[in-house]
Amino acid sequence: MDAMDHDSGELQEVSAAEIKSFFESAPPLKDGDEINKKLKEFVERNSSATAPRVVCVTSGGTTVPLEQQCVRFIDNFSSGHRGAASTEYFLKAGYSVIFLYRSGSCQPYCSSLPDDPLLECFDISDDSNIQVRQSHAEVVKRVISEHHAAVSGGYLLKLPFTTIFEYLQILRLVALSLSCLGPCAMFYLAAAVSDFYVPWETMTVHKIQSRSGPLDMRLAQAPKMLSVLRKEWAPVAFCISFKLETDSKILVEKADMALKKYDMHMVLANELSTRKEEVIVVSKSGKTVVRKDKAQPCVDVESPLIELVVDRHSTYIKHSGDGTETTRREEDEILVS
Amino acid sequence: MDAMDHDSGELQEVSAAEIKSFFESAPPLKDGDEINKKLKEFVERNSSATAPRVVCVTSGGTTVPLEQQCVRFIDNFSSGHRGAASTEYFLKAGYSVIFLYRSGSCQPYCSSLPDDPLLECFDISDDSNIQVRQSHAEVVKRVISEHHAAVSGGYLLKLPFTTIFEYLQILRLVALSLSCLGPCAMFYLAAAVSDFYVPWETMTVHKIQSRSGPLDMRLAQAPKMLSVLRKEWAPVAFCISFKLETDSKILVEKADMALKKYDMHMVLANELSTRKEEVIVVSKSGKTVVRKDKAQPCVDVESPLIELVVDRHSTYIKHSGDGTETTRREEDEILVS
């Protein structure tokens, strides 16, 4: 079970020390300056509209290195499909997206492609030219053109990570760069972030040796960055986190706890085996179940989901001047299970 | 340190029980029949030559699930580059290859491509056709044509795995299917196989919950399959294993121990940071260092490496009738460091 809620002042104090320690002991971020430069340019390009909407979508799992010269690591199963599909729908809805994704995970527009698109979608023709296989032509064309339009149009910025250190360091840079957009910025935190990790300074340097007998490992709890994101890095941005469980009996309870504990605006809760069909949206105004329409198998569950999220963000922006958060429950109910 | 060598009879008995237990408790292999069918057809197609040479190249890391409904797992850092590049050179040398690879890892012919070949190598032309970017055209053409020739010519069979369970189950099927080729079969075991794992029946079913305080994990030692491969599954095949260390001081010692302990014909030893430049070949006839030629930066270290391996296999096959294994040291020395 998660720890009991402390008095919020105490929680803030404990977390601040942990978080400070985490960043101070983490290995320095490679290409930090390059990332900051890209972020600055991206935000400038997208600030010119009257009410520019930018969402940071995080996607895929973080790794926890077990050795400094990393051979082994703990990973989270996360294809990145949720984040990648959601990014497509945010772009369609007119948002610009900073896509903070696990290197090698699912890319926007690419989910209907085979695992190895180059080798499975192309042939060499009789006159020695590269040609796309007819069966894949339309899909490949759409993938390439939509992806390139989003990137070259300046609507999609892609930033890769692998370790939990890189993920949190880059997330912090993104949050600081988006703070100028106030409530128009959104965080859609679909990444599967490690709950446990090995602090860098206590990590064994060399590869852990095989031996006779079992291997005992002790992992520290990873500090929850959601609190510091909400309180310090992006205090007026609209924040959405995810909850994935394998046991449906505890799913909503865990989502409710996360909503309160980290002061999220929404928690999107899903059960591992049904995550492509159903998402439970938990907020202060109650619970809403979003389902894939079985009559439209080609339409992802992310379609109605992002529509609802965008609508809630609009309400949030509208009310952000007068200090009240929306509790427009009657408009939010789709189906309550 | 590895366990002290037991009397070989005892070692065999201990291993047999562990290995039996491992396979009995592992989750059943998905598509086992399909895999067997592909193997049967592949071996038949390749058995017709006088002395058909088939190598099983294993590549990439295995995962150790930490929960039965797998959310978290332990993984080994292994791009699969060694196995993929070696496969190209084996094919060039006239071998047929069964490529047993980690799903998502490096593919033969693809190592000079960018990470995301579809999105980085293609554009849509003004007249709405898919076209390859000029800068990548030659490479992409070569990749597709060579890969397709190998697969459709029946020289390359690709079998993916993810978990340690799948890896060892499929390896066993491959070994049994290649046993009819006697000494003409080779095992080139470049995969990074987990040393520690969680036995399936002791594994927690649901996702391990976050909690306050550290997480303690106890992992069992994974049974070494090299012994059972050599003794039971493919007793006359030519067997090569790998040793990767981060500490160069212990590298050769560990390789020597593996050679003796598992009765390998060769152990290819490399240090993590120099693995693309240098490989130490350890066999009963001594130690040979194979190095990338600095004057030819485009030629992978796998080129001289596979040439040496093929030569040793030829010698092995030649002597396999008269029961003596080669110790033709004078021909094997390239450079001894």
Side-chain angles (χ1 to χ4, degrees):
Chain A
M1 282 189 67
D2 278 359
M4 301 285 282
D5 275 332
H6 300 273
D7 166 71
S8 68
E10 261 185 54
L11 181 63
Q12 203 160 350
E13 207 179 297
V14 167
S15 296
E18 280 178 9
I19 287 153
K20 187 168 185 285
S21 164
F22 178 92
F23 282 108
E24 278 173 359
S25 62
L29 180 65
K30 210 164 63 101
D31 305 325
D33 291 340
E34 177 68 28
I35 291 168
N36 257 332
K37 186 161 170 273
K38 286 182 181 173
L39 282 168
K40 194 167 179 285
E41 286 168 2
F42 188 80
V43 175
E44 269 170 17
R45 202 180 314 126
N46 283 286
S47 298
S48 50
T50 324
R53 300 239 194 148
V54 179
V55 58
C56 173
V57 174
T58 68
S59 189
T62 62
T63 67
V64 168
L66 296 176
E67 301 133 343
Q68 284 195 7
Q69 292 205 48
C70 181
V71 176
R72 295 181 190 86
F73 54 95
I74 299 181
D75 206 347
N76 279 338
F77 167 73
S78 181
S79 62
H81 184 269
R82 175 78 79 213
S86 300
T87 293
E88 293 177 48
Y89 289 99
F90 276 122
L91 287 163
K92 268 200 192 74
Y95 280 67
S96 290
V97 181
I98 297 172
F99 185 57
L100 176 51
Y101 69 100
R102 165 67 178 278
S103 205
S105 68
C106 215
Q107 295 298 290
Y109 304 112
C110 295
S111 52
S112 46
L113 289 173
D115 279 346
D116 206 327
L118 184 72
L119 297 178
E120 295 190 50
C121 299
F122 292 87
D123 281 317
I124 303 296
S125 64
D126 295 330
D127 56 344
S128 295
N129 285 315
I130 300 159
Q131 64 185 14
V132 64
R133 288 175 174 165
Q134 265 315 107
S135 48
H136 290 104
E138 280 317 305
V139 174
V140 171
K141 212 178 278 195
R142 191 173 59 241
V143 166
I144 295 172
S145 58
E146 292 190 1
H147 179 273
H148 287 3
V151 171
S152 53
Y155 307 118
L156 175 62
L157 173 64
K158 304 203 303 181
L159 300 173
F161 67 84
T162 300
T163 69
I164 185 177
F165 303 108
E166 291 165 343
Y167 171 76
L168 292 172
Q169 287 164 325
I170 303 175
L171 180 63
R172 183 173 165 271
L173 294 180
V174 171
L176 295 174
S177 74
L178 290 181
S179 56
C180 58
L181 299 182
C184 294
M186 183 196 311
F187 286 85
Y188 185 89
L189 305 166
V193 184
S194 318
D195 294 315
F196 301 101
Y197 83 120
V198 179
W200 192 256
E201 71 276 9
T202 69
M203 205 184 289
T204 179
V205 176
H206 282 294
K207 179 186 170 207
I208 299 164
Q209 293 299 304
S210 292
R211 69 205 69 188
S212 51
L215 175 69
D216 289 318
M217 287 202 304
R218 165 161 285 199
L219 303 171
Q221 207 180 5
K224 288 278 186 265
M225 293 298 168
L226 294 181
S227 306
V228 77
L229 175 74
R230 273 293 280 136
K231 291 182 169 76
E232 291 181 29
W233 299 346
V236 290
F238 190 67
C239 285
I240 302 174
S241 67
F242 274 76
K243 206 26 113 173
L244 175 87
E245 296 293 335
T246 56
D247 181 351
S248 56
K249 293 191 291 297
I250 60 168
L251 181 60
V252 176
E253 171 199 329
K254 301 281 287 181
D256 267 327
M257 284 170 69
L259 188 80
K260 295 182 176 72
K261 189 169 180 182
Y262 306 115
D263 196 26
M264 291 288 106
H265 297 103
M266 282 165 80
V267 175
L268 305 184
N270 43 202
E271 202 256 304
L272 182 64
S273 61
T274 56
R275 67 198 187 283
K276 295 198 181 184
E277 274 83 49
E278 186 174 297
V279 179
I280 304 174
V281 176
V282 178
S283 67
K284 287 193 173 88
S285 57
K287 194 182 84 171
T288 307
V289 181
V290 176
R291 288 195 181 97
K292 187 177 157 84
D293 183 354
K294 287 189 174 138
Q296 296 193 74
C298 294
V299 178
D300 306 312
V301 69
E302 285 81 7
S303 180
L305 178 64
I306 301 310
E307 196 182 322
L308 186 146
V309 163
V310 167
D311 186 63
R312 298 277 183 101
H313 188 207
S314 301
T315 305
Y316 177 75
I317 293 169
K318 203 161 120 187
H319 289 268
S320 61
D322 64 13
T324 55
E325 276 191 54
T326 183
T327 52
R328 297 168 65 199
R329 185 176 189 165
E330 64 278 16
E331 289 186 44
D332 298 336
E333 263 188 44
I334 298 173
L335 277 171
V336 179
S337 63
Chain B
M1 283 189 66
D2 277 358
M4 300 285 281
D5 276 331
H6 298 273
D7 166 71
S8 67
E10 258 184 57
L11 182 62
Q12 203 160 352
E13 206 179 298
V14 167
S15 296
E18 280 178 11
I19 287 155
K20 189 168 183 287
S21 163
F22 178 92
F23 281 108
E24 277 174 358
S25 60
L29 180 64
K30 208 164 65 99
D31 303 325
D33 292 341
E34 179 66 29
I35 292 169
N36 257 332
K37 186 162 169 277
K38 286 182 182 172
L39 282 167
K40 192 166 179 289
E41 286 168 4
F42 187 80
V43 175
E44 271 170 15
R45 202 181 312 126
N46 283 286
S47 298
S48 51
T50 324
R53 300 239 192 149
V54 179
V55 57
C56 173
V57 174
T58 68
S59 189
T62 62
T63 68
V64 168
L66 296 177
E67 301 132 345
Q68 283 194 7
Q69 294 205 47
C70 182
V71 176
R72 296 181 189 85
F73 54 95
I74 299 181
D75 205 350
N76 278 335
F77 167 74
S78 182
S79 63
H81 183 270
R82 175 78 79 213
S86 301
T87 292
E88 293 178 48
Y89 290 99
F90 277 122
L91 287 162
K92 270 200 190 73
Y95 279 68
S96 290
V97 181
I98 296 172
F99 185 57
L100 176 51
Y101 70 100
R102 166 66 178 278
S103 204
S105 68
C106 214
Q107 294 298 291
Y109 304 112
C110 296
S111 53
S112 46
L113 290 172
D115 280 345
D116 206 326
L118 185 71
L119 297 178
E120 296 189 49
C121 299
F122 291 87
D123 280 317
I124 302 298
S125 64
D126 296 331
D127 56 344
S128 293
N129 285 315
I130 299 159
Q131 64 186 13
V132 64
R133 289 176 175 165
Q134 263 319 105
S135 48
H136 290 104
E138 280 317 303
V139 174
V140 170
K141 212 178 278 193
R142 192 174 59 239
V143 167
I144 294 172
S145 58
E146 292 190 1
H147 180 272
H148 287 2
V151 171
S152 53
Y155 307 119
L156 175 62
L157 173 64
K158 304 203 305 183
L159 300 174
F161 66 85
T162 300
T163 70
I164 185 177
F165 303 108
E166 291 165 343
Y167 171 76
L168 292 171
Q169 287 164 325
I170 302 174
L171 180 63
R172 183 174 163 271
L173 294 181
V174 171
L176 296 174
S177 74
L178 289 180
S179 57
C180 56
L181 299 182
C184 294
M186 185 194 311
F187 286 86
Y188 185 89
L189 305 166
V193 184
S194 318
D195 295 316
F196 301 101
Y197 83 119
V198 179
W200 192 256
E201 71 275 9
T202 69
M203 204 185 290
T204 179
V205 176
H206 283 295
K207 180 186 168 208
I208 298 165
Q209 293 300 304
S210 292
R211 68 204 69 188
S212 52
L215 174 68
D216 289 317
M217 287 200 307
R218 165 161 284 198
L219 303 171
Q221 207 180 6
K224 289 279 188 267
M225 291 299 169
L226 294 180
S227 304
V228 77
L229 175 74
R230 274 293 280 135
K231 291 183 168 75
E232 292 183 28
W233 299 347
V236 290
F238 190 66
C239 286
I240 301 174
S241 66
F242 275 76
K243 204 33 111 172
L244 176 86
E245 295 294 336
T246 55
D247 182 352
S248 55
K249 295 192 290 302
I250 61 168
L251 181 59
V252 176
E253 171 198 331
K254 300 281 288 180
D256 267 327
M257 283 170 69
L259 187 80
K260 295 183 175 74
K261 189 169 178 182
Y262 306 115
D263 195 27
M264 291 289 106
H265 297 103
M266 281 165 81
V267 175
L268 305 185
N270 42 206
E271 202 256 305
L272 183 64
S273 61
T274 56
R275 67 198 187 283
K276 294 196 181 185
E277 275 83 49
E278 186 174 300
V279 179
I280 303 175
V281 177
V282 178
S283 67
K284 288 195 175 86
S285 57
K287 194 183 82 173
T288 306
V289 181
V290 176
R291 287 194 182 96
K292 188 176 158 81
D293 184 353
K294 287 187 174 139
Q296 296 193 74
C298 293
V299 178
D300 305 311
V301 70
E302 284 82 6
S303 179
L305 178 64
I306 301 309
E307 196 182 321
L308 186 147
V309 164
V310 167
D311 186 63
R312 298 277 184 102
H313 188 207
S314 301
T315 306
Y316 177 75
I317 293 168
K318 205 162 119 184
H319 290 269
S320 62
D322 63 13
T324 55
E325 276 192 53
T326 184
T327 51
R328 296 169 66 200
R329 186 175 189 167
E330 63 279 16
E331 289 187 40
D332 297 336
E333 263 186 46
I334 298 174
L335 278 170
V336 177
S337 64

PDB file of all heavy atoms in Angstrom, chain A residues 311-326:
ATOM      1  N   ASP A 311     -11.171  18.948 -23.783  1.00  0.00           N
ATOM      2  CA  ASP A 311     -12.320  19.686 -23.278  1.00  0.00           C
ATOM      3  C   ASP A 311     -12.098  20.135 -21.831  1.00  0.00           C
ATOM      4  O   ASP A 311     -12.363  21.287 -21.459  1.00  0.00           O
ATOM      5  CB  ASP A 311     -13.560  18.802 -23.390  1.00  0.00           C
ATOM      6  CG  ASP A 311     -14.816  19.545 -23.010  1.00  0.00           C
ATOM      7  OD1 ASP A 311     -15.150  20.529 -23.699  1.00  0.00           O
ATOM      8  OD2 ASP A 311     -15.453  19.174 -22.007  1.00  0.00           O
ATOM      9  N   ARG A 312     -11.568  19.249 -21.019  1.00  0.00           N
ATOM     10  CA  ARG A 312     -11.274  19.586 -19.623  1.00  0.00           C
ATOM     11  C   ARG A 312     -10.179  20.653 -19.514  1.00  0.00           C
ATOM     12  O   ARG A 312     -10.220  21.518 -18.654  1.00  0.00           O
ATOM     13  CB  ARG A 312     -10.808  18.345 -18.856  1.00  0.00           C
ATOM     14  CG  ARG A 312     -11.815  17.229 -18.757  1.00  0.00           C
ATOM     15  CD  ARG A 312     -12.799  17.432 -17.630  1.00  0.00           C
ATOM     16  NE  ARG A 312     -13.687  16.294 -17.536  1.00  0.00           N
ATOM     17  CZ  ARG A 312     -13.560  15.302 -16.634  1.00  0.00           C
ATOM     18  NH1 ARG A 312     -12.587  15.329 -15.751  1.00  0.00           N
ATOM     19  NH2 ARG A 312     -14.420  14.293 -16.649  1.00  0.00           N
ATOM     20  N   HIS A 313      -9.218  20.564 -20.418  1.00  0.00           N
ATOM     21  CA  HIS A 313      -8.138  21.562 -20.424  1.00  0.00           C
ATOM     22  C   HIS A 313      -8.712  22.933 -20.792  1.00  0.00           C
ATOM     23  O   HIS A 313      -8.349  23.957 -20.207  1.00  0.00           O
ATOM     24  CB  HIS A 313      -7.026  21.135 -21.389  1.00  0.00           C
ATOM     25  CG  HIS A 313      -5.808  22.002 -21.321  1.00  0.00           C
ATOM     26  ND1 HIS A 313      -4.947  22.170 -22.388  1.00  0.00           N
ATOM     27  CD2 HIS A 313      -5.283  22.749 -20.323  1.00  0.00           C
ATOM     28  CE1 HIS A 313      -3.955  22.984 -22.047  1.00  0.00           C
ATOM     29  NE2 HIS A 313      -4.141  23.348 -20.800  1.00  0.00           N
ATOM     30  N   SER A 314      -9.608  22.942 -21.765  1.00  0.00           N
ATOM     31  CA  SER A 314     -10.249  24.206 -22.181  1.00  0.00           C
ATOM     32  C   SER A 314     -10.959  24.851 -21.005  1.00  0.00           C
ATOM     33  O   SER A 314     -10.843  26.059 -20.777  1.00  0.00           O
ATOM     34  CB  SER A 314     -11.275  23.951 -23.286  1.00  0.00           C
ATOM     35  OG  SER A 314     -10.664  23.359 -24.398  1.00  0.00           O
ATOM     36  N   THR A 315     -11.694  24.031 -20.263  1.00  0.00           N
ATOM     37  CA  THR A 315     -12.413  24.530 -19.101  1.00  0.00           C
ATOM     38  C   THR A 315     -11.414  25.072 -18.073  1.00  0.00           C
ATOM     39  O   THR A 315     -11.632  26.133 -17.485  1.00  0.00           O
ATOM     40  CB  THR A 315     -13.240  23.392 -18.466  1.00  0.00           C
ATOM     41  OG1 THR A 315     -14.077  22.835 -19.472  1.00  0.00           O
ATOM     42  CG2 THR A 315     -14.073  23.899 -17.304  1.00  0.00           C
ATOM     43  N   TYR A 316     -10.333  24.360 -17.884  1.00  0.00           N
ATOM     44  CA  TYR A 316      -9.295  24.769 -16.929  1.00  0.00           C
ATOM     45  C   TYR A 316      -8.711  26.128 -17.301  1.00  0.00           C
ATOM     46  O   TYR A 316      -8.574  27.014 -16.450  1.00  0.00           O
ATOM     47  CB  TYR A 316      -8.192  23.703 -16.895  1.00  0.00           C
ATOM     48  CG  TYR A 316      -7.025  24.034 -16.000  1.00  0.00           C
ATOM     49  CD1 TYR A 316      -7.146  23.943 -14.619  1.00  0.00           C
ATOM     50  CD2 TYR A 316      -5.794  24.440 -16.537  1.00  0.00           C
ATOM     51  CE1 TYR A 316      -6.076  24.248 -13.785  1.00  0.00           C
ATOM     52  CE2 TYR A 316      -4.718  24.738 -15.711  1.00  0.00           C
ATOM     53  CZ  TYR A 316      -4.866  24.638 -14.337  1.00  0.00           C
ATOM     54  OH  TYR A 316      -3.805  24.942 -13.516  1.00  0.00           O
ATOM     55  N   ILE A 317      -8.410  26.289 -18.595  1.00  0.00           N
ATOM     56  CA  ILE A 317      -7.833  27.556 -19.064  1.00  0.00           C
ATOM     57  C   ILE A 317      -8.830  28.692 -18.852  1.00  0.00           C
ATOM     58  O   ILE A 317      -8.488  29.767 -18.362  1.00  0.00           O
ATOM     59  CB  ILE A 317      -7.430  27.456 -20.553  1.00  0.00           C
ATOM     60  CG1 ILE A 317      -6.269  26.476 -20.719  1.00  0.00           C
ATOM     61  CG2 ILE A 317      -7.068  28.833 -21.107  1.00  0.00           C
ATOM     62  CD1 ILE A 317      -5.977  26.104 -22.159  1.00  0.00           C
ATOM     63  N   LYS A 318     -10.103  28.391 -19.175  1.00  0.00           N
ATOM     64  CA  LYS A 318     -11.158  29.409 -19.068  1.00  0.00           C
ATOM     65  C   LYS A 318     -11.282  29.911 -17.628  1.00  0.00           C
ATOM     66  O   LYS A 318     -11.425  31.096 -17.373  1.00  0.00           O
ATOM     67  CB  LYS A 318     -12.480  28.780 -19.527  1.00  0.00           C
ATOM     68  CG  LYS A 318     -13.519  29.773 -19.992  1.00  0.00           C
ATOM     69  CD  LYS A 318     -14.568  29.068 -20.851  1.00  0.00           C
ATOM     70  CE  LYS A 318     -15.947  29.236 -20.207  1.00  0.00           C
ATOM     71  NZ  LYS A 318     -16.989  28.467 -20.869  1.00  0.00           N
ATOM     72  N   HIS A 319     -11.192  28.967 -16.700  1.00  0.00           N
ATOM     73  CA  HIS A 319     -11.385  29.320 -15.300  1.00  0.00           C
ATOM     74  C   HIS A 319     -10.088  29.702 -14.591  1.00  0.00           C
ATOM     75  O   HIS A 319     -10.109  30.026 -13.414  1.00  0.00           O
ATOM     76  CB  HIS A 319     -12.045  28.161 -14.546  1.00  0.00           C
ATOM     77  CG  HIS A 319     -13.478  27.970 -14.926  1.00  0.00           C
ATOM     78  ND1 HIS A 319     -14.529  28.564 -14.264  1.00  0.00           N
ATOM     79  CD2 HIS A 319     -14.028  27.249 -15.941  1.00  0.00           C
ATOM     80  CE1 HIS A 319     -15.666  28.203 -14.847  1.00  0.00           C
ATOM     81  NE2 HIS A 319     -15.399  27.429 -15.869  1.00  0.00           N
ATOM     82  N   SER A 320      -8.973  29.675 -15.303  1.00  0.00           N
ATOM     83  CA  SER A 320      -7.688  29.869 -14.615  1.00  0.00           C
ATOM     84  C   SER A 320      -7.493  31.314 -14.190  1.00  0.00           C
ATOM     85  O   SER A 320      -6.758  31.596 -13.266  1.00  0.00           O
ATOM     86  CB  SER A 320      -6.530  29.437 -15.490  1.00  0.00           C
ATOM     87  OG  SER A 320      -6.512  30.220 -16.668  1.00  0.00           O
ATOM     88  N   GLY A 321      -8.227  32.213 -14.826  1.00  0.00           N
ATOM     89  CA  GLY A 321      -8.107  33.605 -14.414  1.00  0.00           C
ATOM     90  C   GLY A 321      -8.782  33.857 -13.088  1.00  0.00           C
ATOM     91  O   GLY A 321      -8.272  34.529 -12.204  1.00  0.00           O
ATOM     92  N   ASP A 322      -9.975  33.212 -12.888  1.00  0.00           N
ATOM     93  CA  ASP A 322     -10.748  33.522 -11.700  1.00  0.00           C
ATOM     94  C   ASP A 322     -10.492  32.583 -10.519  1.00  0.00           C
ATOM     95  O   ASP A 322     -11.203  32.605  -9.539  1.00  0.00           O
ATOM     96  CB  ASP A 322     -12.261  33.538 -12.042  1.00  0.00           C
ATOM     97  CG  ASP A 322     -12.754  32.167 -12.493  1.00  0.00           C
ATOM     98  OD1 ASP A 322     -12.032  31.172 -12.323  1.00  0.00           O
ATOM     99  OD2 ASP A 322     -13.858  32.103 -13.027  1.00  0.00           O
ATOM    100  N   GLY A 323      -9.474  31.758 -10.621  1.00  0.00           N
ATOM    101  CA  GLY A 323      -9.035  30.947  -9.482  1.00  0.00           C
ATOM    102  C   GLY A 323      -9.896  29.754  -9.153  1.00  0.00           C
ATOM    103  O   GLY A 323      -9.630  29.033  -8.204  1.00  0.00           O
ATOM    104  N   THR A 324     -11.000  29.526  -9.942  1.00  0.00           N
ATOM    105  CA  THR A 324     -11.792  28.334  -9.636  1.00  0.00           C
ATOM    106  C   THR A 324     -11.477  27.235 -10.645  1.00  0.00           C
ATOM    107  O   THR A 324     -11.359  27.470 -11.833  1.00  0.00           O
ATOM    108  CB  THR A 324     -13.307  28.599  -9.711  1.00  0.00           C
ATOM    109  OG1 THR A 324     -13.598  29.127 -11.005  1.00  0.00           O
ATOM    110  CG2 THR A 324     -13.761  29.557  -8.642  1.00  0.00           C
ATOM    111  N   GLU A 325     -11.353  26.016 -10.165  1.00  0.00           N
ATOM    112  CA  GLU A 325     -11.199  24.882 -11.079  1.00  0.00           C
ATOM    113  C   GLU A 325     -12.577  24.343 -11.362  1.00  0.00           C
ATOM    114  O   GLU A 325     -13.457  24.355 -10.519  1.00  0.00           O
ATOM    115  CB  GLU A 325     -10.350  23.791 -10.429  1.00  0.00           C
ATOM    116  CG  GLU A 325      -8.867  24.062 -10.596  1.00  0.00           C
ATOM    117  CD  GLU A 325      -8.049  22.845 -10.195  1.00  0.00           C
ATOM    118  OE1 GLU A 325      -8.327  21.761 -10.734  1.00  0.00           O
ATOM    119  OE2 GLU A 325      -7.174  22.999  -9.336  1.00  0.00           O
ATOM    120  N   THR A 326     -12.726  23.850 -12.551  1.00  0.00           N
ATOM    121  CA  THR A 326     -14.044  23.389 -12.951  1.00  0.00           C
ATOM    122  C   THR A 326     -14.510  22.161 -12.192  1.00  0.00           C
ATOM    123  O   THR A 326     -13.718  21.294 -11.833  1.00  0.00           O
ATOM    124  CB  THR A 326     -14.068  23.084 -14.455  1.00  0.00           C
ATOM    125  OG1 THR A 326     -15.377  22.713 -14.842  1.00  0.00           O
ATOM    126  CG2 THR A 326     -13.130  21.927 -14.755  1.00  0.00           C
TER     127      THR A 326
END
